[in-house]
């Protein structure tokens, strides 16, 4: 087998493990009602019609002032879409639907507690509550267009209400996933320079009422340490009649929103007409260098793109009941729980809790009761529902016309269970590949047009022209049978605008790799580097292999290894730390931690301290499967920790040639410590682990 200088398998061999799957076709019944079933659309979005083709997306929105230029590339790669246009996102998601859908459900919220009634917000109710909140934010908090606000909230209707209220007055929201720790929230408050934090007293998770207010106190403290003073903490109440948190309110700083809103009853706030390229929100995500990146998304381009993809890929009609079982604290929830579905006047379902609580039939009871006909979830949820309740879906009268999977590559076996059991062989499945940065789907089948292939995301979406490059910048064409780095050659309306406060890093991370003319204003010179490995089949379908950088995809979400490693180093006993991904049957990948101790330190209790530190700094989602204390880290002669070798050991894979390391003997010691004294294992293993830690 061909190996490179570091003993890795070549890209050609990575692809060899890929078995072609037979295709499935959508039912005639589905195609008959689909929003998009006319193949001529591909011609309309052919490259020769770019960028004007995206007018079809922009025309899904209501503009206060129509735009004059589709795409401005004069400051490449800082693209501007629909230049000259003005619009308001909350107007587009609410007000414009009132004429026809005033009394239709906009949001149906389901508590984790099965005894608590649902909350149904009609478009009228949503309109009233968003207006009151917008007035409160503007008049009580003094927020104005362009200010940033950090929102650290669980899955409750007050979360989209708050987001839409911000959008109404042009305030940029930064929603931090509710499961992240107070410290992680504090770091993001500081980075975005928010002086207002919006939180909640508590919420249900796995049957327990969690105190969430306590995280707000930690976040404010952390932000202050980093240099940002939070002036006000706004706390929503989980229950009407009681507090859900024992943590006291801080006089003069903390305010109960529900009380404050009373003064704004019936208030209306004129939606602020925003330029198309004004930022709508920040969403922090992990990258290959330590600090989380605040991905800045636009108003007009973003909303057009999520409306277009919701309509054509998720096949959302205003009459549909749509349920995306993600969390709004991630990009999936922003684009495909809140903004996309509401822009199309759909009914969007929100569920507070854990899908398998109190039993694996829960999602299907919710879907049956609410008449959900479009379902959206992740491979990690699919695997866990299959594991604990493989036969549950059959017990319920559920009928989905289409379903989505997102977040990581899905194993064909899990796909087939989803198709046969959840979809009952009736639902079209779209496997949508995209990222926090991309705003919306990049590769997916169009369910009314294309056959489905388990394990393949599918062809590029309309107006998206990918290219796969090898490390040297040579193109790997479709059908070559080799994997490489997937890039998108052109900009699209959903692409993020920059990294908040770090334009250099934006260019360096996403565009510099394959750009040869740094001063160019021609988009052809700026392929977007997605950071994923991919193989392009002869039939034009793309199979995504996973990240090529130091990022671990846990349960469909990116966690930066450097962030986890710095959390480990907050434990005083630790000298060095290395975090690697380990294959996990349910969560996809989980972090495993290697640490070496400072001289003279006793190992007792250290592993627990490291785990705890990770939970405190990042959150439970990053909790390692195991913390291993090792005598030393395997290193190159220049002192770089060889995470790839550790990843191979943790995953029982062949670690390849290590003779060039500074301390090859430590590898065998670690291997015996992890795997026992038996013979060296030679499992092939998945490509993202083989490639892990490789410099890009
Ligand atoms: C990374 C982005 C997109 C919203 C949720 C995650 C992986 C995402 C797929 C898919 C294979 C996928 C990629 C990507 N990924 N969707 N359908 N098939 N891989 O957003 O946290 O920004 O992570 O998730 O590796 O780069 P994110």
């Amino acid at each position: 087998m061909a190996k490179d200088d570091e003993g890795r398998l070549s890209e050609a061999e990575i692809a060899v493990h890929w078995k072609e799957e037979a295709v499935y076709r959508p039912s005639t019944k589905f195609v008959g009602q689909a929003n998009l079933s006319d193949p001529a659309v591909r011609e309309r979005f052919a490259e020769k019609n770019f960028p004007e083709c995206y007018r079809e997306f922009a025309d899904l929105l209501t503009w206060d002032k129509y735009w004059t230029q589709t795409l401005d590339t004069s400051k490449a790669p800082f693209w501007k879409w629909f230049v000259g246009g003005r619009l308001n996102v909350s107007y587009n998601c609410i007000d414009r639907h009132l004429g026809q859908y005033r009394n239709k459900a906009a949001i149906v919220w389901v508590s984790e507690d099965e005894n608590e009634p649902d909350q149904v917000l009609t478009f009228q109710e949503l309109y009233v509550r968003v207006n009151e909140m917008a007035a409160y934010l503007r008049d009580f908090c003094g927020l104005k267009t362009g200010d940033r606000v950090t929102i650290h909230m669980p899955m409750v209707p007050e979360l989209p209400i708050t987001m839409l209220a911000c959008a109404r007055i042009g305030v940029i929201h930064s929603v931090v996933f509710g499961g992240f720790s107070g410290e992680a929230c504090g770091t993001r408050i500081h980075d975005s320079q928010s002086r207002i934090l919006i939180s909640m007293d508590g919420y249900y998770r796995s049957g327990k009422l969690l105190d969430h207010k306590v995280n707000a106190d930690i976040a404010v403290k952390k932000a202050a340490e980093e240099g940002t003073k939070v002036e006000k903490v706004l706390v929503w109440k989980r229950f009407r009649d009681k507090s859900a948190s024992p943590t006291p309110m801080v006089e003069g700083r903390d305010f109960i929103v529900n009380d404050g809103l009373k003064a704004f009853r019936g208030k209306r706030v004129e939606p602020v007409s925003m330029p198309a390229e004004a930022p709508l929100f920040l969403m922090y995500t992990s990258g290959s260098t330590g600090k989380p990146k605040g991905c800045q998304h636009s108003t007009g381009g973003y909303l057009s793109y999520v409306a277009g993809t919701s309509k054509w890929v998720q096949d959302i009609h205003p009459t549909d009941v749509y349920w995306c079982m993600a969390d709004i604290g991630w990009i999936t929830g922003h684009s495909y729980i809140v903004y996309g579905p509401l822009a199309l006047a759909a009914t969007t379902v929100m569920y507070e809790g854990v899908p398998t609580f109190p039993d694996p039939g829960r999602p299907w009871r919710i879907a049956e009761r609410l008449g959900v006909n479009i379902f959206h979830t992740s491979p990690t949820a699919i695997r866990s529902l299959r594991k604990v309740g493989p036969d549950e879906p059959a017990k319920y009268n559920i009928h989905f016309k289409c379903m989505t999977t997102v977040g990581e590559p899905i194993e064909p076996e899990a796909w087939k269970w989803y198709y046969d059991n959840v979809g009952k062989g009736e639902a079209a499945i779209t496997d949508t590949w995209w990222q926090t940065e991309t705003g919306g789907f990049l590769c997916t089948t169009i369910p009314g047009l294309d056959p489905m292939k388990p394990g393949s995301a599918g062809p590029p979406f309309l107006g998206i022209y990918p290219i796969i490059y090898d490390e040297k910048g040579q193109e790997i064409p479709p059908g070559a049978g080799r994997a490489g780095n997937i890039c998108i050659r052109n900009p699209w309306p959903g692409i993020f605008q920059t990294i908040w406060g770090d334009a250099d890093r934006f260019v360096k991370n996403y565009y510099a790799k394959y750009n040869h003319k740094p001063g160019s204003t021609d988009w052809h010179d700026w392929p977007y580097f997605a950071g994923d490995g991919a193989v392009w089949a002869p039939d034009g379908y793309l199979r995504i292999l996973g990240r090529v950088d130091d990022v671990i995809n846990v349960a469909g979400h990116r966690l930066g290894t450097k962030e986890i490693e710095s959390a480990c180093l907050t434990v005083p006993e630790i000298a060095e730390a290395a975090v690697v991904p380990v294959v996990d049957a349910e969560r996809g990948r989980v972090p495993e931690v290697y640490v070496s101790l400072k001289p003279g330190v006793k190992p007792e209790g250290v592993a627990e301290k490291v785990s705890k530190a990770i939970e405190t700094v990042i959150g439970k989602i990053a909790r390692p499967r195991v913390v291993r204390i090792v005598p030393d880290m395997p290193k190159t002669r220049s002192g770089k920790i060889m995470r790839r070798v550790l990843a191979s050991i943790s995953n029982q894979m062949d670690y390849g040639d290590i003779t060039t390391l500074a301390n090859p003997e430590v590898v065998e010691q670690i291997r015996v410590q992890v795997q026992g004294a038996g013979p060296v294992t030679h499992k092939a293993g998945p490509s993202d682990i083989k490639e892990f830690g490789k410099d890009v």
Side-chain angles (χ1 to χ4, degrees):
M1 281 207 215
K3 292 191 181 176
D4 69 7
D5 351 317
E6 288 193 359
R8 283 192 303 256
L9 288 167
S10 75
E11 284 164 346
E13 270 117 358
I14 295 170
V16 170
H17 305 289
W18 176 22
K19 187 172 126 281
E20 268 293 340
E21 291 283 333
V23 300
Y24 291 62
R25 295 193 184 276
S27 69
T28 357
K29 188 174 165 207
F30 175 80
V31 176
Q33 61 78 62
N35 279 328
L36 188 54
S37 56
D38 175 9
V41 72
R42 296 247 184 245
E43 176 60 19
R44 300 206 302 277
F45 282 82
E47 195 171 337
K48 64 178 192 306
N49 296 325
F50 179 84
E52 300 311 319
C53 52
Y54 279 124
R55 180 181 295 271
E56 287 194 45
F57 283 51
D59 285 349
L60 295 170
L61 307 182
T62 306
W63 296 80
D64 304 334
K65 181 165 171 285
Y66 205 68
W67 41 278
T68 47
Q69 188 186 4
T70 313
L71 173 64
D72 174 0
T73 64
S74 63
K75 294 214 170 58
F78 300 89
W79 318 114
K80 287 182 177 165
W81 281 91
F82 310 128
V83 182
R86 297 188 86 98
L87 75 167
N88 181 277
V89 167
S90 110
Y91 178 87
N92 271 277
C93 292
I94 309 170
D95 306 38
R96 67 167 176 157
H97 305 317
L98 292 176
Q100 213 173 344
Y101 301 114
R102 189 179 293 274
N103 288 315
K104 193 183 93 85
I107 296 174
V108 179
W109 173 81
V110 180
S111 164
E112 191 187 71
D113 174 3
E114 255 179 313
N115 297 317
E116 189 177 348
D118 296 341
Q119 281 184 41
V120 180
L121 275 74
T122 61
F123 278 95
Q124 170 68 16
E125 174 82 5
L126 185 62
Y127 172 74
V128 169
R129 295 190 60 186
V130 166
N131 271 281
E132 290 173 354
M133 184 63 182
Y136 175 76
L137 293 176
R138 186 188 62 187
D139 300 342
F140 175 68
C141 303
L143 285 166
K144 50 185 192 322
T145 301
D147 288 348
R148 279 83 51 210
V149 155
T150 297
I151 305 174
H152 192 205
M153 287 177 66
M155 284 289 284
V156 289
E158 289 78 3
L159 173 53
I161 288 172
T162 306
M163 293 160 71
L164 288 159
C166 288
R168 198 165 186 88
I169 54 174
V171 164
I172 303 167
H173 60 68
S174 166
V175 178
V176 175
F177 169 55
F180 273 147
S181 67
E183 284 197 23
C185 177
T187 310
R188 287 156 177 80
I189 292 176
H190 171 64
D191 191 82
S192 63
Q193 296 284 294
S194 305
R195 51 187 187 84
I196 307 283
L197 167 65
I198 308 180
S199 185
M200 181 152 221
D201 54 2
Y203 62 102
Y204 284 116
R205 193 83 199 153
S206 289
K208 284 200 285 286
L209 186 60
L210 302 186
D211 176 7
H212 190 59
K213 164 65 171 65
V214 66
N215 294 320
D217 292 4
I218 298 169
V220 170
K221 185 163 166 273
K222 179 77 187 172
E225 279 164 23
E226 298 199 2
T228 297
K229 182 173 188 289
V230 172
E231 288 168 16
K232 286 189 171 69
V233 177
L234 312 178
V235 184
W236 284 98
K237 280 176 70 176
R238 172 64 181 74
F239 304 106
R240 220 174 259 264
D241 50 351
K242 59 174 182 200
S243 166
S245 162
T247 305
M249 299 288 282
V250 175
E251 180 74 38
R253 184 198 74 181
D254 300 352
F255 301 89
I256 299 282
V257 184
N258 308 58
D259 295 343
L261 280 174
K262 287 179 187 148
F264 296 89
R265 183 175 298 149
K267 263 259 186 274
R268 297 287 182 266
V269 173
E270 212 24 56
V272 176
S273 192
M274 300 296 290
E277 65 279 18
L280 175 66
F281 66 85
L282 307 180
M283 167 62 64
Y284 282 85
T285 191
S286 299
S288 50
T289 54
K291 207 172 132 197
K293 305 175 277 195
C295 296
Q296 175 185 318
H297 280 283
S298 73
T299 299
Y302 172 81
L303 194 66
S304 309
Y305 200 69
V306 297
T309 46
S310 295
K311 179 157 183 172
W312 284 343
V313 177
Q314 311 221 63
D315 201 54
I316 295 181
H317 301 59
T319 43
D320 289 324
V321 181
Y322 166 88
W323 182 19
C324 170
M325 208 170 66
D327 193 292
I328 293 175
W330 306 108
I331 190 72
T332 304
H334 277 48
S335 300
Y336 300 114
I337 297 178
V338 181
Y339 291 119
L342 291 179
L344 299 178
T347 297
T348 184
V349 174
M350 279 179 75
Y351 172 55
E352 175 181 38
V354 173
T356 48
F357 183 87
D359 60 71
R362 187 68 196 277
W364 321 129
R365 284 200 291 284
I366 294 173
E368 179 186 70
R369 190 163 51 80
L370 301 180
V372 173
N373 68 339
I374 307 178
F375 186 64
H376 184 155
T377 193
S378 59
T380 187
I382 294 168
R383 287 188 297 258
S384 104
L385 287 164
R386 177 176 66 158
K387 184 173 163 210
V388 290
D391 307 319
E392 283 301 304
K395 299 179 188 158
Y396 298 90
N397 185 16
I398 47 170
H399 295 281
F400 302 125
K401 65 168 182 172
C402 55
M403 310 192 299
T404 298
T405 153
V406 65
E408 56 178 315
I410 184 164
E411 304 75 3
E413 281 320 301
W415 191 99
K416 286 174 196 164
W417 179 80
Y418 193 38
Y419 183 83
D420 291 332
N421 294 273
V422 180
K424 307 195 170 173
E426 305 163 336
I429 296 183
T430 49
D431 178 351
T432 56
W433 171 73
W434 59 298
Q435 312 175 302
T436 303
E437 294 87 339
T438 72
F441 308 146
L442 290 182
C443 284
T444 169
T445 50
I446 292 174
L449 278 176
D450 306 316
M452 309 159 241
K453 194 158 73 176
S456 282
F461 184 60
L462 301 170
I464 302 291
Y465 320 113
I467 188 163
I468 298 184
Y469 285 121
D470 67 13
E471 273 308 305
K472 298 194 180 74
Q474 296 295 316
E475 177 177 357
I476 304 176
R482 285 185 296 134
N485 297 324
I486 185 167
C487 297
I488 309 297
R489 287 196 290 117
N490 61 302
W492 62 97
I495 181 69
F496 73 136
Q497 302 175 292
T498 187
I499 296 174
W500 180 260
D502 204 344
D504 290 345
R505 191 173 169 205
F506 170 74
V507 178
K508 187 168 162 281
N509 280 4
Y510 298 99
Y511 293 99
K513 191 171 170 74
Y514 295 115
N515 167 265
H516 304 296
K517 294 188 200 156
S520 171
T521 58
D522 180 350
W523 63 259
H524 293 85
D525 292 321
W526 295 97
Y528 168 79
F529 174 70
D532 277 333
V535 187
W536 207 341
D539 60 8
Y541 277 45
L542 283 145
R543 183 179 173 87
I544 306 297
L545 302 171
R547 303 292 303 168
V548 298
D549 57 13
D550 295 355
V551 163
I552 305 184
N553 188 324
V554 182
H557 296 288
R558 284 190 282 168
L559 297 176
T561 45
K562 296 250 168 55
E563 282 169 80
I564 305 177
E565 288 165 3
S566 3
C568 300
L569 293 177
T570 62
V571 176
E573 289 89 341
I574 304 301
E576 281 185 307
V579 175
V580 300
V582 177
V583 175
D584 180 89
E586 267 181 64
R587 292 160 66 76
R589 304 287 178 268
V590 290
E592 194 162 295
V593 172
Y594 287 84
V595 289
S596 62
L597 306 183
K598 287 182 187 155
V601 163
K602 295 219 167 47
E604 282 73 39
V606 170
E608 295 70 34
K609 276 196 197 171
V610 169
S611 265
K612 188 84 197 96
I614 294 172
E615 248 184 64
T616 312
V617 177
I618 303 169
K620 281 204 171 71
I621 188 165
R623 196 159 42 186
R625 188 174 74 162
V626 52
V627 177
R628 301 188 190 278
I629 300 173
V630 293
D632 193 8
M633 300 287 174
K635 286 186 190 144
T636 61
R637 296 211 172 117
S638 60
K640 189 173 165 242
I641 299 178
M642 292 299 288
R643 293 180 180 75
R644 183 176 55 73
V645 170
L646 296 172
S648 301
I649 294 176
S650 286
N651 289 281
Q652 323 282 318
M653 284 158 56
D654 180 4
Y655 52 68
D657 182 13
I658 50 162
T659 50
T660 58
L661 294 192
N663 54 353
E665 64 300 336
V666 80
V667 174
E668 183 55 18
Q669 276 181 33
I670 297 176
R671 190 191 69 80
V672 171
Q673 183 184 335
V674 175
Q675 302 176 351
V680 180
T681 43
H682 283 286
K683 266 180 32 187
S687 63
D688 62 310
I689 295 202
K690 244 177 321 213
E691 299 282 294
F692 182 77
K694 167 180 149 182
D695 284 322
V696 290

